[in-house]
Amino acid sequence: MDTLTQALLGGAVGYVVAGKTSPRKAVLWGAAVAVLPDLDVFIPHINDLAAFTLHRSWSHSWLIQSLIAPALAYGLYKLDATFRFVSWFFLVWLALVTHSGLDALTVYGTQLFWPFMPPPVSGGSVFIIDPLYSIPLLLGFLTILFKPKSLVSHRTMLASFIFSCAYLLAGLVIQNGVQQKAELALQKQGIKYDKVLVAAAPLNIALWRILVINDDDYYQGFRSVFDQDNNVNFSQYSRHSELKPLITSLPSFQRLDWFSHGFYALEQRENTIIARDLRMGIEPSYFFHFAMAERKQQQTVAVTPQRIEGAQIQLSVLKLVWQRIWNQDTPINFP
């Protein structure tokens, strides 16, 4: 999720581990440790695709975090002996692994088991920014920050932490229900598919985007928890699979295919073959497009996988998302 939310979650974790000893220090140190994995965004990479697929890799690996946690905890213990070493260890380790665990629930993809290379964990049960998840954590953080010894602050922080955990659990339960309804709708409509991805729509867990792929096409549909029937309207689009044989041997394409779990589509703009990650965005606009190759004189030549500017979430789209939550007939697409 966004770095601010990760800091707030880390503060809550720090408070649960060491809040009895020093509430304010516990939330501040928890927040500071929790943002460390996201510092990988400042590491330069050889191209845009590498930056895209190496974010949330080694710095988000539960294996690496578990290895470095004792050393980092020992260093912090030497710097500030307010907490016992055991408390420092659990504060550091839990702040790191909960950061990665929360990221893994978003659709982007988190390499929890790096350097082993299964496809990144891409849960999709919570959107990368969700105010209903973040604001209670912010409230708990601020109450401890300004009134660390208050019983009201203590109860507020614990309540916000419990609510945050329940919210994530609710997202997983709702996602599973939408998945079942989506698969039933696909069967009724006779749509052949290889994979189905159900992911939270922007800023909420009430509306869900359903992405379906087969070899030649992909489909997009939406379902709200308030929809009155089990019907899901799917729109069909071409993946332009005729372009795949031209680039299937390219390491850049193989990397994107692996990272996206196969949820990609191809297109040709003039002479450039472009691949886009279908998981992030709403038809017809997506956040991550990468140039893969150029077609020149009946030959296909690999190019540096440069990112092509994609979509931005606009207020008009958020308005449509809000309307679609309540009205099953509201169409959603980017302008």
Short mmCIF file of all heavy atoms in Angstrom, two decimals, residues 239-284:
data_model
loop_
_atom_site.label_atom_id
_atom_site.label_comp_id
_atom_site.label_asym_id
_atom_site.label_seq_id
_atom_site.Cartn_x
_atom_site.Cartn_y
_atom_site.Cartn_z
N ARG A 239 -6.63 -9.47 -26.98
CA ARG A 239 -5.26 -9.42 -26.45
C ARG A 239 -4.23 -9.30 -27.57
O ARG A 239 -3.05 -9.19 -27.30
CB ARG A 239 -4.96 -10.67 -25.62
CG ARG A 239 -5.84 -10.85 -24.39
CD ARG A 239 -5.45 -12.10 -23.64
NE ARG A 239 -4.19 -11.95 -22.95
CZ ARG A 239 -3.50 -12.97 -22.40
NH1 ARG A 239 -3.99 -14.21 -22.49
NH2 ARG A 239 -2.36 -12.75 -21.78
N HIS A 240 -4.69 -9.35 -28.81
CA HIS A 240 -3.81 -9.29 -29.99
C HIS A 240 -2.72 -10.35 -29.89
O HIS A 240 -1.52 -10.07 -30.01
CB HIS A 240 -3.21 -7.90 -30.15
CG HIS A 240 -4.24 -6.85 -30.47
ND1 HIS A 240 -4.88 -6.78 -31.68
CD2 HIS A 240 -4.77 -5.86 -29.70
CE1 HIS A 240 -5.75 -5.78 -31.66
NE2 HIS A 240 -5.71 -5.20 -30.48
N SER A 241 -3.18 -11.57 -29.68
CA SER A 241 -2.26 -12.68 -29.51
C SER A 241 -1.46 -12.99 -30.77
O SER A 241 -0.44 -13.70 -30.70
CB SER A 241 -3.03 -13.94 -29.08
OG SER A 241 -4.05 -14.25 -30.01
N GLU A 242 -1.87 -12.44 -31.93
CA GLU A 242 -1.09 -12.65 -33.16
C GLU A 242 0.29 -12.01 -33.07
O GLU A 242 1.21 -12.38 -33.81
CB GLU A 242 -1.86 -12.09 -34.37
CG GLU A 242 -1.92 -10.57 -34.46
CD GLU A 242 -3.04 -9.96 -33.62
OE1 GLU A 242 -3.73 -10.73 -32.93
OE2 GLU A 242 -3.21 -8.73 -33.68
N LEU A 243 0.46 -11.06 -32.12
CA LEU A 243 1.76 -10.41 -31.94
C LEU A 243 2.69 -11.21 -31.03
O LEU A 243 3.90 -10.99 -31.03
CB LEU A 243 1.57 -9.00 -31.36
CG LEU A 243 0.79 -8.01 -32.22
CD1 LEU A 243 0.53 -6.72 -31.44
CD2 LEU A 243 1.56 -7.70 -33.50
N LYS A 244 2.14 -12.12 -30.26
CA LYS A 244 2.94 -12.85 -29.27
C LYS A 244 4.10 -13.62 -29.87
O LYS A 244 5.22 -13.57 -29.32
CB LYS A 244 2.04 -13.77 -28.44
CG LYS A 244 2.79 -14.51 -27.34
CD LYS A 244 1.83 -15.36 -26.50
CE LYS A 244 2.60 -16.16 -25.45
NZ LYS A 244 1.68 -17.01 -24.63
N PRO A 245 3.93 -14.35 -30.99
CA PRO A 245 5.07 -15.08 -31.54
C PRO A 245 6.26 -14.19 -31.91
O PRO A 245 7.39 -14.67 -31.95
CB PRO A 245 4.49 -15.76 -32.79
CG PRO A 245 3.03 -15.87 -32.52
CD PRO A 245 2.68 -14.64 -31.75
N LEU A 246 6.00 -12.92 -32.13
CA LEU A 246 7.08 -12.01 -32.52
C LEU A 246 7.97 -11.63 -31.34
O LEU A 246 9.13 -11.22 -31.54
CB LEU A 246 6.49 -10.73 -33.15
CG LEU A 246 5.62 -10.93 -34.40
CD1 LEU A 246 5.02 -9.59 -34.82
CD2 LEU A 246 6.44 -11.54 -35.53
N ILE A 247 7.45 -11.74 -30.12
CA ILE A 247 8.21 -11.26 -28.96
C ILE A 247 8.35 -12.30 -27.86
O ILE A 247 8.95 -12.03 -26.82
CB ILE A 247 7.58 -9.99 -28.36
CG1 ILE A 247 6.16 -10.28 -27.86
CG2 ILE A 247 7.57 -8.85 -29.39
CD1 ILE A 247 5.57 -9.14 -27.07
N THR A 248 7.81 -13.50 -28.07
CA THR A 248 7.76 -14.48 -26.98
C THR A 248 9.13 -14.89 -26.48
O THR A 248 9.28 -15.32 -25.34
CB THR A 248 6.97 -15.73 -27.43
OG1 THR A 248 6.73 -16.57 -26.30
CG2 THR A 248 7.72 -16.50 -28.50
N SER A 249 10.17 -14.75 -27.32
CA SER A 249 11.52 -15.13 -26.90
C SER A 249 12.27 -14.00 -26.20
O SER A 249 13.37 -14.20 -25.70
CB SER A 249 12.33 -15.60 -28.11
OG SER A 249 12.50 -14.55 -29.05
N LEU A 250 11.67 -12.80 -26.15
CA LEU A 250 12.37 -11.66 -25.56
C LEU A 250 12.36 -11.75 -24.03
O LEU A 250 11.31 -11.95 -23.42
CB LEU A 250 11.71 -10.36 -25.98
CG LEU A 250 11.68 -10.04 -27.48
CD1 LEU A 250 11.03 -8.68 -27.70
CD2 LEU A 250 13.08 -10.07 -28.06
N PRO A 251 13.52 -11.58 -23.37
CA PRO A 251 13.54 -11.61 -21.90
C PRO A 251 12.62 -10.57 -21.27
O PRO A 251 12.02 -10.83 -20.22
CB PRO A 251 15.01 -11.33 -21.57
CG PRO A 251 15.76 -11.77 -22.78
CD PRO A 251 14.87 -11.46 -23.94
N SER A 252 12.47 -9.41 -21.90
CA SER A 252 11.61 -8.38 -21.34
C SER A 252 10.15 -8.82 -21.33
O SER A 252 9.43 -8.62 -20.34
CB SER A 252 11.75 -7.07 -22.13
OG SER A 252 11.47 -7.28 -23.50
N PHE A 253 9.71 -9.46 -22.41
CA PHE A 253 8.33 -9.96 -22.45
C PHE A 253 8.14 -11.10 -21.44
O PHE A 253 7.13 -11.16 -20.74
CB PHE A 253 7.98 -10.45 -23.85
CG PHE A 253 6.68 -11.20 -23.89
CD1 PHE A 253 5.48 -10.53 -23.75
CD2 PHE A 253 6.67 -12.58 -24.04
CE1 PHE A 253 4.28 -11.23 -23.76
CE2 PHE A 253 5.48 -13.27 -24.06
CZ PHE A 253 4.28 -12.60 -23.92
N GLN A 254 9.10 -12.00 -21.35
CA GLN A 254 9.00 -13.11 -20.41
C GLN A 254 8.92 -12.59 -18.97
O GLN A 254 8.21 -13.14 -18.13
CB GLN A 254 10.20 -14.04 -20.59
CG GLN A 254 10.20 -14.76 -21.94
CD GLN A 254 11.52 -15.49 -22.21
OE1 GLN A 254 12.44 -15.47 -21.39
NE2 GLN A 254 11.61 -16.12 -23.37
N ARG A 255 9.67 -11.52 -18.71
CA ARG A 255 9.66 -10.93 -17.37
C ARG A 255 8.28 -10.35 -17.04
O ARG A 255 7.75 -10.56 -15.95
CB ARG A 255 10.72 -9.83 -17.29
CG ARG A 255 10.82 -9.12 -15.94
CD ARG A 255 11.53 -9.97 -14.92
NE ARG A 255 11.68 -9.27 -13.67
CZ ARG A 255 12.22 -9.80 -12.57
NH1 ARG A 255 12.68 -11.04 -12.59
NH2 ARG A 255 12.32 -9.10 -11.46
N LEU A 256 7.69 -9.62 -17.99
CA LEU A 256 6.38 -9.04 -17.76
C LEU A 256 5.32 -10.12 -17.64
O LEU A 256 4.41 -10.03 -16.79
CB LEU A 256 6.02 -8.07 -18.88
CG LEU A 256 4.67 -7.37 -18.73
CD1 LEU A 256 4.67 -6.48 -17.50
CD2 LEU A 256 4.33 -6.56 -19.98
N ASP A 257 5.42 -11.15 -18.44
CA ASP A 257 4.48 -12.27 -18.38
C ASP A 257 4.54 -12.91 -17.00
O ASP A 257 3.50 -13.20 -16.38
CB ASP A 257 4.84 -13.27 -19.47
CG ASP A 257 3.88 -14.45 -19.53
OD1 ASP A 257 2.75 -14.33 -19.02
OD2 ASP A 257 4.27 -15.50 -20.09
N TRP A 258 5.73 -13.12 -16.49
CA TRP A 258 5.92 -13.71 -15.16
C TRP A 258 5.37 -12.80 -14.07
O TRP A 258 4.63 -13.23 -13.19
CB TRP A 258 7.41 -13.97 -14.93
CG TRP A 258 7.79 -14.26 -13.52
CD1 TRP A 258 7.67 -15.45 -12.86
CD2 TRP A 258 8.37 -13.34 -12.58
NE1 TRP A 258 8.14 -15.33 -11.57
CE2 TRP A 258 8.57 -14.06 -11.37
CE3 TRP A 258 8.75 -12.00 -12.64
CZ2 TRP A 258 9.12 -13.45 -10.24
CZ3 TRP A 258 9.28 -11.40 -11.52
CH2 TRP A 258 9.47 -12.12 -10.34
N PHE A 259 5.70 -11.53 -14.15
CA PHE A 259 5.32 -10.59 -13.10
C PHE A 259 3.82 -10.37 -13.05
O PHE A 259 3.24 -10.22 -11.97
CB PHE A 259 6.03 -9.25 -13.32
CG PHE A 259 5.89 -8.29 -12.16
CD1 PHE A 259 6.65 -8.46 -11.01
CD2 PHE A 259 5.01 -7.23 -12.22
CE1 PHE A 259 6.51 -7.58 -9.95
CE2 PHE A 259 4.86 -6.35 -11.17
CZ PHE A 259 5.63 -6.52 -10.02
N SER A 260 3.17 -10.39 -14.20
CA SER A 260 1.73 -10.10 -14.27
C SER A 260 0.87 -11.35 -14.16
O SER A 260 -0.35 -11.26 -14.30
CB SER A 260 1.41 -9.39 -15.59
OG SER A 260 1.60 -10.26 -16.69
N HIS A 261 1.49 -12.51 -13.93
CA HIS A 261 0.75 -13.78 -13.89
C HIS A 261 0.04 -14.05 -15.21
O HIS A 261 -1.00 -14.72 -15.23
CB HIS A 261 -0.26 -13.79 -12.74
CG HIS A 261 0.35 -13.76 -11.38
ND1 HIS A 261 0.34 -14.85 -10.53
CD2 HIS A 261 1.00 -12.77 -10.70
CE1 HIS A 261 0.94 -14.53 -9.39
NE2 HIS A 261 1.35 -13.27 -9.47
N GLY A 262 0.56 -13.52 -16.30
CA GLY A 262 -0.06 -13.73 -17.60
C GLY A 262 -1.19 -12.77 -17.92
O GLY A 262 -1.78 -12.85 -19.00
N PHE A 263 -1.50 -11.85 -17.03
CA PHE A 263 -2.58 -10.87 -17.28
C PHE A 263 -2.02 -9.67 -18.03
O PHE A 263 -1.84 -8.58 -17.48
CB PHE A 263 -3.21 -10.44 -15.95
CG PHE A 263 -4.09 -11.47 -15.32
CD1 PHE A 263 -3.60 -12.30 -14.31
CD2 PHE A 263 -5.40 -11.65 -15.74
CE1 PHE A 263 -4.40 -13.27 -13.72
CE2 PHE A 263 -6.21 -12.62 -15.15
CZ PHE A 263 -5.71 -13.43 -14.15
N TYR A 264 -1.75 -9.89 -19.30
CA TYR A 264 -1.23 -8.83 -20.15
C TYR A 264 -2.00 -8.82 -21.47
O TYR A 264 -2.70 -9.78 -21.82
CB TYR A 264 0.27 -9.05 -20.43
CG TYR A 264 0.52 -10.28 -21.28
CD1 TYR A 264 0.46 -10.22 -22.67
CD2 TYR A 264 0.79 -11.51 -20.69
CE1 TYR A 264 0.64 -11.37 -23.45
CE2 TYR A 264 0.98 -12.65 -21.45
CZ TYR A 264 0.90 -12.57 -22.83
OH TYR A 264 1.06 -13.70 -23.60
N ALA A 265 -1.86 -7.73 -22.19
CA ALA A 265 -2.38 -7.65 -23.55
C ALA A 265 -1.34 -6.93 -24.40
O ALA A 265 -0.51 -6.16 -23.88
CB ALA A 265 -3.71 -6.90 -23.60
N LEU A 266 -1.36 -7.20 -25.69
CA LEU A 266 -0.41 -6.60 -26.63
C LEU A 266 -1.14 -5.67 -27.58
O LEU A 266 -2.34 -5.78 -27.80
CB LEU A 266 0.31 -7.70 -27.42
CG LEU A 266 1.04 -8.77 -26.61
CD1 LEU A 266 1.59 -9.84 -27.53
CD2 LEU A 266 2.15 -8.16 -25.76
N GLU A 267 -0.40 -4.76 -28.13
CA GLU A 267 -0.92 -3.89 -29.19
C GLU A 267 0.26 -3.39 -30.01
O GLU A 267 1.42 -3.43 -29.56
CB GLU A 267 -1.68 -2.70 -28.61
CG GLU A 267 -0.84 -1.77 -27.75
CD GLU A 267 -1.61 -0.58 -27.25
OE1 GLU A 267 -2.16 0.16 -28.09
OE2 GLU A 267 -1.65 -0.37 -26.01
N GLN A 268 -0.04 -2.92 -31.21
CA GLN A 268 0.99 -2.34 -32.06
C GLN A 268 0.60 -0.90 -32.38
O GLN A 268 -0.48 -0.64 -32.91
CB GLN A 268 1.16 -3.13 -33.37
CG GLN A 268 2.27 -2.57 -34.26
CD GLN A 268 2.57 -3.46 -35.44
OE1 GLN A 268 2.45 -4.68 -35.35
NE2 GLN A 268 2.98 -2.86 -36.54
N ARG A 269 1.47 0.01 -32.01
CA ARG A 269 1.28 1.43 -32.32
C ARG A 269 2.34 1.83 -33.34
O ARG A 269 3.53 1.83 -33.02
CB ARG A 269 1.40 2.30 -31.08
CG ARG A 269 0.39 2.00 -29.99
CD ARG A 269 0.55 2.93 -28.81
NE ARG A 269 -0.24 2.50 -27.66
CZ ARG A 269 -0.20 3.08 -26.46
NH1 ARG A 269 0.62 4.14 -26.28
NH2 ARG A 269 -0.93 2.63 -25.46
N GLU A 270 1.88 2.11 -34.54
CA GLU A 270 2.79 2.33 -35.66
C GLU A 270 3.67 1.09 -35.79
O GLU A 270 3.16 0.01 -36.04
CB GLU A 270 3.59 3.63 -35.46
CG GLU A 270 2.71 4.87 -35.44
CD GLU A 270 3.49 6.13 -35.27
OE1 GLU A 270 4.70 6.09 -34.95
OE2 GLU A 270 2.89 7.21 -35.47
N ASN A 271 4.98 1.19 -35.55
CA ASN A 271 5.85 0.02 -35.67
C ASN A 271 6.26 -0.58 -34.33
O ASN A 271 7.07 -1.51 -34.29
CB ASN A 271 7.11 0.39 -36.47
CG ASN A 271 6.80 0.75 -37.90
OD1 ASN A 271 5.91 0.15 -38.51
ND2 ASN A 271 7.51 1.74 -38.44
N THR A 272 5.71 -0.05 -33.24
CA THR A 272 6.13 -0.48 -31.91
C THR A 272 5.14 -1.47 -31.31
O THR A 272 3.93 -1.21 -31.28
CB THR A 272 6.26 0.74 -30.96
OG1 THR A 272 7.18 1.68 -31.52
CG2 THR A 272 6.77 0.30 -29.59
N ILE A 273 5.66 -2.60 -30.83
CA ILE A 273 4.83 -3.58 -30.12
C ILE A 273 4.90 -3.25 -28.63
O ILE A 273 5.98 -3.13 -28.05
CB ILE A 273 5.32 -5.02 -30.37
CG1 ILE A 273 5.21 -5.36 -31.86
CG2 ILE A 273 4.50 -6.00 -29.54
CD1 ILE A 273 5.75 -6.73 -32.20
N ILE A 274 3.73 -3.10 -28.04
CA ILE A 274 3.61 -2.66 -26.65
C ILE A 274 2.86 -3.71 -25.85
O ILE A 274 1.87 -4.28 -26.32
CB ILE A 274 2.88 -1.31 -26.57
CG1 ILE A 274 3.70 -0.23 -27.29
CG2 ILE A 274 2.62 -0.89 -25.13
CD1 ILE A 274 2.95 1.05 -27.53
N ALA A 275 3.34 -3.97 -24.65
CA ALA A 275 2.64 -4.86 -23.71
C ALA A 275 2.15 -4.04 -22.53
O ALA A 275 2.85 -3.15 -22.05
CB ALA A 275 3.57 -5.98 -23.24
N ARG A 276 0.94 -4.35 -22.08
CA ARG A 276 0.41 -3.64 -20.91
C ARG A 276 -0.04 -4.63 -19.86
O ARG A 276 -0.57 -5.70 -20.18
CB ARG A 276 -0.73 -2.70 -21.31
CG ARG A 276 -1.95 -3.36 -21.91
CD ARG A 276 -2.99 -2.30 -22.29
NE ARG A 276 -4.18 -2.86 -22.90
CZ ARG A 276 -4.34 -3.08 -24.19
NH1 ARG A 276 -3.36 -2.76 -25.03
NH2 ARG A 276 -5.47 -3.58 -24.65
N ASP A 277 0.17 -4.27 -18.62
CA ASP A 277 -0.27 -5.07 -17.48
C ASP A 277 -1.75 -4.77 -17.24
O ASP A 277 -2.12 -3.64 -16.91
CB ASP A 277 0.57 -4.71 -16.25
CG ASP A 277 0.34 -5.65 -15.08
OD1 ASP A 277 -0.80 -6.14 -14.93
OD2 ASP A 277 1.28 -5.87 -14.30
N LEU A 278 -2.60 -5.77 -17.42
CA LEU A 278 -4.04 -5.58 -17.32
C LEU A 278 -4.55 -5.50 -15.89
O LEU A 278 -5.72 -5.15 -15.66
CB LEU A 278 -4.78 -6.72 -18.04
CG LEU A 278 -4.55 -6.83 -19.55
CD1 LEU A 278 -5.21 -8.10 -20.08
CD2 LEU A 278 -5.08 -5.60 -20.28
N ARG A 279 -3.72 -5.82 -14.93
CA ARG A 279 -4.19 -5.87 -13.55
C ARG A 279 -4.44 -4.48 -12.96
O ARG A 279 -5.25 -4.32 -12.05
CB ARG A 279 -3.19 -6.61 -12.67
CG ARG A 279 -2.94 -8.05 -13.06
CD ARG A 279 -1.76 -8.62 -12.29
NE ARG A 279 -0.58 -7.79 -12.49
CZ ARG A 279 0.42 -7.70 -11.63
NH1 ARG A 279 0.39 -8.40 -10.51
NH2 ARG A 279 1.48 -6.94 -11.89
N MET A 280 -3.72 -3.49 -13.47
CA MET A 280 -3.77 -2.15 -12.87
C MET A 280 -4.28 -1.13 -13.86
O MET A 280 -3.58 -0.72 -14.78
CB MET A 280 -2.38 -1.78 -12.34
CG MET A 280 -2.01 -2.56 -11.08
SD MET A 280 -0.27 -2.45 -10.63
CE MET A 280 0.43 -3.69 -11.73
N GLY A 281 -5.52 -0.73 -13.65
CA GLY A 281 -6.17 0.20 -14.54
C GLY A 281 -7.61 -0.24 -14.78
O GLY A 281 -8.09 -1.23 -14.20
N ILE A 282 -8.31 0.51 -15.58
CA ILE A 282 -9.67 0.19 -16.00
C ILE A 282 -9.75 0.46 -17.48
O ILE A 282 -9.27 1.49 -17.96
CB ILE A 282 -10.71 1.03 -15.22
CG1 ILE A 282 -10.67 0.70 -13.72
CG2 ILE A 282 -12.11 0.80 -15.76
CD1 ILE A 282 -11.59 1.55 -12.87
N GLU A 283 -10.33 -0.46 -18.21
CA GLU A 283 -10.43 -0.32 -19.65
C GLU A 283 -11.02 1.05 -20.04
O GLU A 283 -12.02 1.47 -19.47
CB GLU A 283 -11.31 -1.46 -20.18
CG GLU A 283 -11.33 -1.58 -21.67
CD GLU A 283 -9.99 -1.98 -22.25
OE1 GLU A 283 -9.25 -2.73 -21.59
OE2 GLU A 283 -9.72 -1.55 -23.37
N PRO A 284 -10.40 1.77 -20.98
CA PRO A 284 -9.32 1.35 -21.87
C PRO A 284 -7.94 1.84 -21.44
O PRO A 284 -7.00 1.79 -22.23
CB PRO A 284 -9.71 2.02 -23.19
CG PRO A 284 -10.30 3.33 -22.75
CD PRO A 284 -11.02 3.03 -21.46
#
